Amino acid sequence: MSSLANALLFQMAFNTDIALVPQKELDAISRSSRISRMRRNRPSEIDPPRRTYNEDLIHHYLMAVSTDNPFVEYLSHYHVLEHFYEAVFQDDLITSIQQQITDPAFSYRRKKDIKGLIKTIHKSLKIQNDTITFSEEQALLLTLRSFVEVTDLLDDLDNYDPSLVDYYRDNKVAFANAPEIDLRYSENAAIYKSLSKRIYATRNALVHSKDGEKAKYTPFVDNHLLAKELPLLRFVAERTILRNSSMIE
C-alpha cells in the first residue's frame, strides 16, 4: 500500500472514527467452512456436553472463534497455552530438583552437590527488576509436551487441509523469522522444540513492534501469512483445552 493511500486511511480514521481497511483474505473466509466440514455443524447432530472445561480457557477460545481479525485470533489461542506456563514450569523444576536430591549419589554434606542444585535452579529462573521470572519459551515447550500429542495434531491438520503439514515443513513465518517444522517425519522431541519456537516467535512478532525490529508483524500486509498459522495454533489450543477437561459424572 502506498504512503499516500496510508495517509488517506489515517486521515479518514482520525477525523471520522471510521477505519477503512482491506477486505478479508479468501483463506480467512474459508476457515470457518473448513472447520464446519470436519465437525458436526448441525445443531441436531451436537450431543449434550459430557465434559466440563476451564472457564478462563473457554473465554479465550470463544474470543478467538468469534473474531475475523487474525491478530486477535492468534493471541487468543496463545493465551490458552499461556494459562499453564507457571504451573508446568514449576512442576518441571520441582521434578528436576526431586530427582537430584533423591539420587543416591547426592549428599547435602558435599558442597559440589549443593552447587549443582543451585545451578539447576539458576538455569531455570532469572531475575528481572527484583522479580523472579522464567523462560516463557521453555514454559511453552513444556506445555506442548504435557498436553498435545503430535499424532492428534497431525490428524487435525490433515482433516482440515492436507496441504498444511507440507506448508509448515517448507515455509518459515517470514515476518517473524519463525522456523519450519516437520510434523510428519521428525522425532517428537524435535517436533515439540520446533513447534514451540514457531509459535513463540510468531507471538513475539505480533506483540513487539519496535522501529528497526527485524521480526515484526505489519497489520493487513502480513495477514495472509498469519492466517496460515491459525489452524496450527487453534488445534494446539483445542487439544490443550480437552486435555484439561473433566468428565461429567
Side-chain angles (χ1 to χ4, degrees):
M1 191 178 296
S2 70
S3 58
L4 186 58
N6 278 324
L8 176 61
L9 292 176
F10 173 75
Q11 190 155 323
M12 289 290 294
F14 184 89
N15 287 291
T16 67
D17 197 36
I18 297 173
L20 302 177
V21 299
Q23 288 186 317
K24 292 190 293 185
E25 301 278 354
L26 287 176
D27 53 5
I29 297 173
S30 69
R31 283 202 301 276
S32 178
S33 61
R34 287 180 184 272
I35 289 291
S36 296
R37 286 200 300 270
M38 63 183 288
R39 304 274 166 85
R40 292 176 293 178
N41 63 329
R42 296 179 181 176
S44 60
E45 297 176 340
I46 300 176
D47 295 337
R50 298 191 184 96
R51 288 181 170 272
T52 57
Y53 306 94
N54 182 292
E55 186 175 346
D56 288 342
L57 304 186
I58 297 307
H59 287 163
H60 289 305
Y61 180 74
L62 293 178
M63 172 63 79
V65 173
S66 66
T67 185
D68 290 328
N69 186 317
F71 177 93
V72 175
E73 183 174 347
Y74 194 92
L75 290 181
S76 295
H77 284 314
Y78 182 85
H79 288 154
V80 171
L81 307 179
E82 192 176 36
H83 175 90
F84 296 97
Y85 285 1
E86 186 169 351
V88 297
F89 193 88
Q90 287 182 355
D91 287 346
D92 182 72
L93 181 57
I94 289 170
T95 299
S96 179
I97 293 172
Q98 286 175 331
Q99 288 175 344
Q100 281 188 247
I101 63 177
T102 57
D103 190 297
F106 179 88
S107 173
Y108 70 89
R109 293 187 176 89
R110 285 194 305 205
K111 289 184 178 181
K112 178 182 177 182
D113 293 350
I114 298 300
K115 286 180 179 178
L117 194 61
I118 294 172
K119 185 177 180 180
T120 297
I121 298 171
H122 187 264
K123 282 174 60 179
S124 299
L125 302 175
K126 52 187 177 181
I127 299 176
Q128 290 182 340
N129 300 324
D130 297 326
T131 301
I132 298 176
T133 62
F134 54 84
S135 166
E136 283 198 358
E137 186 175 346
Q138 178 65 15
L140 170 57
L141 174 61
L142 295 171
T143 300
L144 295 174
R145 286 176 178 171
S146 298
F147 304 132
V148 181
E149 294 290 340
V150 173
T151 52
D152 291 337
L153 183 57
L154 271 171
D155 287 343
D156 290 337
L157 290 169
D158 283 337
N159 288 333
Y160 177 84
D161 181 352
S163 70
L164 277 179
V165 174
D166 289 342
Y167 173 84
Y168 297 138
R169 181 196 63 202
D170 299 333
N171 295 275
K172 294 182 177 182
V173 185
F175 67 83
N177 196 29
E180 305 94 338
I181 172 173
D182 189 347
L183 290 162
R184 208 179 296 279
Y185 299 112
S186 298
E187 295 292 330
N188 274 7
I191 290 174
Y192 286 124
K193 187 174 182 179
S194 297
L195 181 59
S196 63
K197 286 183 177 297
R198 188 177 183 106
I199 292 173
Y200 193 65
T202 303
R203 174 263 183 196
N204 284 348
L206 295 183
V207 301
H208 300 304
S209 190
K210 295 177 183 175
D211 187 29
E213 196 86 48
K214 291 183 179 179
K216 67 176 182 179
Y217 164 80
T218 303
F220 309 121
V221 174
D222 294 322
N223 277 7
H224 178 71
L225 290 176
L226 181 58
K228 286 285 192 180
E229 303 305 306
L230 294 176
L232 178 65
L233 189 57
R234 173 174 179 153
F235 296 137
V236 166
E238 287 179 345
R239 289 295 173 181
T240 301
I241 292 171
L242 291 172
R243 281 292 296 272
N244 289 277
S245 62
S246 302
M247 286 193 298
I248 298 174
E249 298 181 0

